[in-house]
Amino acid sequence: MDNERSPLAQPFPNMPTIGGVTLRTARAHYKDWDRADLTYAEFAEGTAVAGVFTQSACPSSEVEIGREQIKNGTARALIVNAGNSNAFTGYRGREAVDQIMTQVAEHLGCASEQVFVSSTGVIGVPLPKDKARDGVAKVLTAETCTWEEAADTIATTDTFAKGATASAIVGDKTVQISAIIKGSGMIAPDMATMLGYIFTDGAIDPAFLQELLCAANQQTFSCITVDSDTSTSDTVLAFATGKAGNAPLASFDDAGADAFAAALHDVCRQMAHLVVRDGEGAQKFIAITVSGAQCDESARKIGLSIANSPLVKTAIAGEDANWGRVVMAVGKAGEPADRDKLSIGFGGIWAARNGQPVPDYDEAPVARHLKGQDINIEVDIGIGSGRATVWTCDLTHGYITINADYRS
Amino acid sequence: MDNERSPLAQPFPNMPTIGGVTLRTARAHYKDWDRADLTYAEFAEGTAVAGVFTQSACPSSEVEIGREQIKNGTARALIVNAGNSNAFTGYRGREAVDQIMTQVAEHLGCASEQVFVSSTGVIGVPLPKDKARDGVAKVLTAETCTWEEAADTIATTDTFAKGATASAIVGDKTVQISAIIKGSGMIAPDMATMLGYIFTDGAIDPAFLQELLCAANQQTFSCITVDSDTSTSDTVLAFATGKAGNAPLASFDDAGADAFAAALHDVCRQMAHLVVRDGEGAQKFIAITVSGAQCDESARKIGLSIANSPLVKTAIAGEDANWGRVVMAVGKAGEPADRDKLSIGFGGIWAARNGQPVPDYDEAPVARHLKGQDINIEVDIGIGSGRATVWTCDLTHGYITINADYRS
């Protein structure tokens, strides 16, 4: 975390411990950082797991292995390596992951398939097995740590530690959810995103947990973008230890399932927003609400076309209500639209309606809105009832500075 | 042309006059510019026309009308307005185009459908009809002008005038092609691009001219991108006056058709490259050659995914051989790929082969290559014989400065 703290940063929340989850960190020295870079979470026996992963055609070994592991539905441990993504490293990368899984499984006396591994950082450098072995040995016996220390340790170019929490009443029990996430650039998740970890003491059937995570993902992580670039390592995992003692949830028919689903969705939305708030070079947080599209998925695609447009993002950076660029981004989205029914507004004020500028459009309140940190863009396609909100940040000199100077 | 001249600019070529084409410019004062902003080209009777247009779902009236006009196959005049795109202006925008078509048609004694109109500039402001009427009246009787003056007059944020020329032997005649183009930002043409005009004295059947233009477009304008943003007004028109006196070309069976097609392709490629060379903030011209893809179209899509990646573009700006970002962009393209068969090189030197870093990779010659202005990225997908080359520029602070400060 050498970069200047994002102006959109939020304080780390007060997050409850989760029964059945133990956190530890250590230094594996993957990079020349003066901080911990290896995070370990240990789970009670019987912990359920669900996950969503990058859709990249060139994923990391961690993602390939993780997709298989999820099918078993149970987890005992998570290891996160920061500073080296281990992606595009062939058999050597896979060997490093296998070694870590075996080492942790021997320590816990569990199956190696119950040990989940993630890595984030530079692409194309095999994770050094000696450093991994020493780091894992250290972390297995390290002092336990706080949520904030764990969130700091999984970070790379992030400028602040990111955590989210929520709770739900399930039957007569309170179920807690605590989550950490990292992400700053290469953010345009496609059904999954970055590295995010959700921990709950709820008792949830793994298949149902997977169903809930996929649903939340679709309206949260899949609705954010920083720079339209999709990582080879995007991963969000949810672990449910069952220590809350609630009657296990297996479907929406179970009492409290709706409440738990809402809390999980809330945590995912918080996490997704935090990633955007730490977007590389971000100065403004932008919510784009698209209504009147052919269907919800069409609205989401149009929203992402706007959110990924460098001309829209630079206009917001320049505090310019350049709605013509929004028209352009709707037009290029490849989704049904009718120019003469299209309306565009900023901060609740229509600048253009039904394919034409609003005649008595008063730019003064819009200009005031654009000077703020939280920007709202409203787009009404005018042809249906599809609706979605997506979130992004502006595109500034900071993004260029960070990414043109970063050395592989 | 207030911005600093692109470091990738090229001198305006020596372009032959085209029999049957007369050029004039005038000041319509659409913007507060101290230069001409209205361009007029008059064509001899019998001139054939072909065109390709933006695929935007929110095109300008000019594009909508142009798509209809092309079907007639003949043209007598072209008017280009610079400083106001007249896009997203509803019935008022359409009225302005109709007025211009009628005014020019009355002057020439032709059908108004034979008068083509293009406009470029800010979106959402109806083209002022009074300024258009006065400007057209002036331009119809103005002095004739040079190719370079016409190229200067169609420009907006361009930093240099762009022209291209080629010739072909058709039967016993030499057929000349001269062309002008503008474009600098909002450049990610989808089957068409920007405003480009091609003039030839060849005698070509309009349907065959359309076939040739579409084919050339697919490998030239459709293979460039500056910023992934697609304009609402993209238009390329080709006018063939027939004054060369060649036996008319109507199919590839006609003598000289191949030579003419090659010359047309050459001119389109030159024009497309010039647009990239004037990409907003561009410091480097990047050619990305993708081979081994499933098919040519898949190779083109992968190439554009790389060319549109802000992380790849900033890496090149930073002269960093960050091939991991190229892997990422291949992975997110949504096209068939196999990580373990993928190879990536810079300037003819492989950095990664078959899914792994090259063990004895010598970065020194690659570093030298990246310090130059002309950058080559080679990608071998390794699964088929599909092939394409796409062109783009790097993403620099200049792009942010131009677009965060531009006021609508």
Side-chain angles (χ1 to χ4, degrees):
Chain A
M1 301 214 193
D2 297 331
N3 294 319
E4 205 175 324
R5 189 173 166 88
S6 167
L8 306 175
Q10 297 199 327
F12 198 82
N14 189 5
M15 307 213 306
T17 56
I18 300 294
V21 178
T22 309
L23 300 172
R24 307 177 198 276
T25 65
R27 291 190 186 195
H29 300 285
Y30 294 127
K31 291 200 84 162
D32 188 20
W33 285 342
D34 187 23
R35 65 167 177 89
D37 54 2
L38 200 156
T39 308
Y40 173 70
E42 187 176 312
F43 309 117
E45 288 192 38
T47 292
V49 64
V52 284
F53 300 91
T54 185
Q55 299 290 299
S56 171
C58 302
S60 66
S61 291
E62 283 81 340
V63 166
E64 285 187 322
I65 295 169
R67 282 183 190 143
E68 290 302 310
Q69 290 176 281
I70 286 297
K71 295 174 186 167
N72 301 319
T74 66
R76 287 298 312 281
L78 167 70
I79 290 272
V80 185
N81 306 299
N84 184 326
S85 79
N86 197 36
F88 210 73
T89 53
Y91 72 93
R92 285 177 293 174
R94 183 146 191 134
E95 280 179 3
V97 181
D98 286 341
Q99 174 190 292
I100 292 171
M101 291 168 65
T102 304
Q103 187 177 358
V104 175
E106 282 175 0
H107 175 79
L108 292 176
C110 68
S112 66
E113 292 78 36
Q114 292 180 297
V115 178
F116 287 74
V117 180
S118 299
S119 302
T120 175
V122 67
I123 294 173
V125 180
L127 196 72
K129 286 198 274 189
D130 50 347
K131 289 184 179 178
R133 186 181 297 109
D134 293 350
V136 170
K138 268 193 280 182
V139 87
L140 289 173
T141 56
E143 295 287 307
T144 60
C145 74
T146 64
W147 287 117
E148 187 165 5
E149 285 166 338
D152 269 331
T153 305
I154 66 171
T156 55
T157 58
D158 304 63
T159 74
F160 64 97
K162 302 175 192 67
T165 183
S167 63
I169 306 295
V170 178
D172 59 349
K173 303 291 182 188
T174 298
V175 169
Q176 304 283 358
I177 305 177
S178 289
I180 58 174
I181 192 161
K182 63 119 347 198
S184 185
M186 205 178 275
I187 299 291
D190 181 13
M191 301 301 297
T193 182
M194 320 133 301
L195 299 185
Y197 305 102
I198 300 163
F199 309 92
T200 177
D201 54 10
I204 327 278
D205 174 74
F208 188 50
L209 186 61
Q210 183 71 40
E211 178 186 337
L212 295 181
L213 181 62
C214 286
N217 169 66
Q218 186 61 16
Q219 293 188 301
T220 58
F221 302 117
S222 291
C223 290
I224 65 168
T225 181
V226 167
D227 54 9
S228 79
D229 276 342
T230 301
S231 165
T232 51
S233 303
D234 290 339
T235 297
V236 174
L237 295 171
F239 302 97
T241 65
K243 293 297 179 192
N246 60 291
L249 298 176
S251 82
F252 277 109
D253 296 335
D254 296 326
D258 285 330
F260 180 80
L264 182 68
H265 188 282
D266 186 31
V267 162
C268 289
R269 188 186 44 73
Q270 291 179 51
M271 295 168 84
H273 285 197
L274 288 168
V275 169
V276 171
R277 287 187 171 277
D278 207 6
E280 287 172 341
Q283 300 280 334
K284 293 179 190 287
F285 180 85
I286 308 169
I288 301 165
T289 301
V290 178
S291 59
Q294 195 173 64
C295 62
D296 290 353
E297 179 61 12
S298 180
R300 187 180 75 93
K301 285 183 180 163
I302 291 169
L304 286 173
S305 178
I306 299 166
N308 281 325
S309 160
L311 288 174
V312 171
K313 293 160 87 82
T314 48
I316 299 300
E319 302 180 345
D320 178 16
N322 193 324
W323 55 266
R325 296 186 183 178
V326 179
V327 174
M328 175 282 299
V330 173
K332 74 166 181 168
E335 292 296 315
D338 180 338
R339 183 192 63 201
D340 297 333
K341 292 179 177 166
L342 182 59
S343 301
I344 292 161
F346 296 91
I349 295 166
W350 293 115
R353 294 222 72 171
N354 299 316
Q356 295 186 56
V358 170
D360 54 354
Y361 169 54
D362 177 10
E363 203 173 335
V366 172
R368 277 197 300 277
H369 177 71
L370 290 179
K371 286 196 186 307
Q373 267 190 348
D374 285 282
I375 308 300
N376 295 307
I377 301 177
E378 298 91 20
V379 177
D380 183 357
I381 307 297
I383 62 167
S385 59
R387 191 180 176 82
T389 299
V390 306
W391 300 277
T392 189
C393 54
D394 54 344
L395 175 58
T396 70
H397 285 289
Y399 184 86
I400 308 293
T401 300
I402 293 167
N403 287 300
D405 296 345
Y406 178 96
R407 276 291 174 283
S408 55
Chain B
M1 301 214 193
D2 297 333
N3 294 319
E4 204 174 323
R5 188 173 166 88
S6 167
L8 306 175
Q10 296 200 327
F12 198 83
N14 189 5
M15 307 214 304
T17 55
I18 299 295
V21 178
T22 308
L23 299 172
R24 306 177 199 278
T25 65
R27 291 190 185 194
H29 301 285
Y30 293 126
K31 291 199 83 163
D32 188 21
W33 283 343
D34 187 24
R35 65 165 176 89
D37 55 2
L38 199 156
T39 308
Y40 173 69
E42 187 176 313
F43 309 118
E45 289 192 38
T47 292
V49 63
V52 283
F53 299 91
T54 183
Q55 297 290 299
S56 171
C58 303
S60 66
S61 291
E62 284 81 338
V63 166
E64 285 187 321
I65 295 169
R67 282 184 190 143
E68 289 302 310
Q69 289 176 281
I70 285 297
K71 296 174 185 168
N72 301 319
T74 66
R76 286 299 309 283
L78 166 71
I79 291 272
V80 185
N81 306 299
N84 183 327
S85 78
N86 197 37
F88 209 72
T89 53
Y91 72 93
R92 285 177 292 174
R94 182 147 190 134
E95 281 179 1
V97 181
D98 286 341
Q99 174 190 292
I100 291 171
M101 290 167 66
T102 304
Q103 187 177 357
V104 174
E106 282 175 1
H107 174 79
L108 292 177
C110 70
S112 66
E113 293 77 36
Q114 292 180 299
V115 179
F116 288 75
V117 181
S118 299
S119 303
T120 176
V122 67
I123 294 173
V125 180
L127 196 72
K129 286 199 275 190
D130 51 345
K131 289 185 179 177
R133 186 181 296 109
D134 293 350
V136 169
K138 269 193 279 183
V139 87
L140 289 174
T141 56
E143 296 286 308
T144 60
C145 74
T146 64
W147 288 116
E148 187 164 5
E149 285 165 340
D152 269 331
T153 304
I154 65 171
T156 54
T157 57
D158 304 62
T159 74
F160 64 98
K162 303 175 192 67
T165 185
S167 63
I169 305 296
V170 179
D172 59 349
K173 304 292 182 187
T174 298
V175 169
Q176 304 283 358
I177 305 177
S178 290
I180 57 176
I181 192 161
K182 64 124 338 204
S184 186
M186 205 177 275
I187 299 290
D190 181 12
M191 302 300 296
T193 182
M194 320 133 302
L195 299 184
Y197 306 100
I198 300 163
F199 309 91
T200 177
D201 54 11
I204 326 279
D205 173 73
F208 188 51
L209 186 60
Q210 183 70 40
E211 178 186 337
L212 296 181
L213 182 62
C214 286
N217 170 65
Q218 187 61 16
Q219 293 188 301
T220 58
F221 302 117
S222 292
C223 290
I224 65 169
T225 181
V226 167
D227 55 8
S228 79
D229 276 342
T230 302
S231 165
T232 52
S233 304
D234 291 338
T235 298
V236 173
L237 295 171
F239 302 97
T241 66
K243 294 297 179 192
N246 60 290
L249 299 175
S251 82
F252 278 109
D253 295 335
D254 296 326
D258 286 330
F260 180 80
L264 182 67
H265 188 283
D266 186 30
V267 161
C268 289
R269 188 185 45 71
Q270 290 179 52
M271 295 168 84
H273 285 195
L274 289 168
V275 169
V276 171
R277 288 187 171 276
D278 206 7
E280 289 172 339
Q283 300 280 335
K284 293 178 190 288
F285 180 86
I286 308 168
I288 301 164
T289 300
V290 178
S291 59
Q294 194 173 64
C295 63
D296 289 353
E297 179 59 11
S298 180
R300 187 180 75 92
K301 286 183 179 164
I302 292 169
L304 286 174
S305 179
I306 299 166
N308 281 325
S309 160
L311 289 174
V312 172
K313 293 162 86 84
T314 48
I316 300 300
E319 301 179 346
D320 178 17
N322 193 324
W323 55 266
R325 297 185 183 177
V326 179
V327 173
M328 176 279 299
V330 173
K332 74 165 180 167
E335 292 296 313
D338 180 337
R339 185 193 62 202
D340 297 333
K341 291 180 178 167
L342 182 59
S343 301
I344 292 162
F346 296 91
I349 294 165
W350 294 115
R353 293 223 73 170
N354 299 317
Q356 295 186 56
V358 169
D360 55 353
Y361 169 53
D362 177 10
E363 203 173 333
V366 172
R368 277 196 301 277
H369 176 71
L370 290 179
K371 286 196 187 307
Q373 268 190 346
D374 286 281
I375 308 300
N376 295 307
I377 301 177
E378 298 92 18
V379 176
D380 184 357
I381 307 297
I383 63 166
S385 59
R387 191 179 175 83
T389 299
V390 307
W391 300 277
T392 190
C393 54
D394 54 346
L395 174 58
T396 69
H397 284 288
Y399 184 86
I400 308 293
T401 301
I402 292 167
N403 286 299
D405 297 344
Y406 178 96
R407 276 290 175 282
S408 54

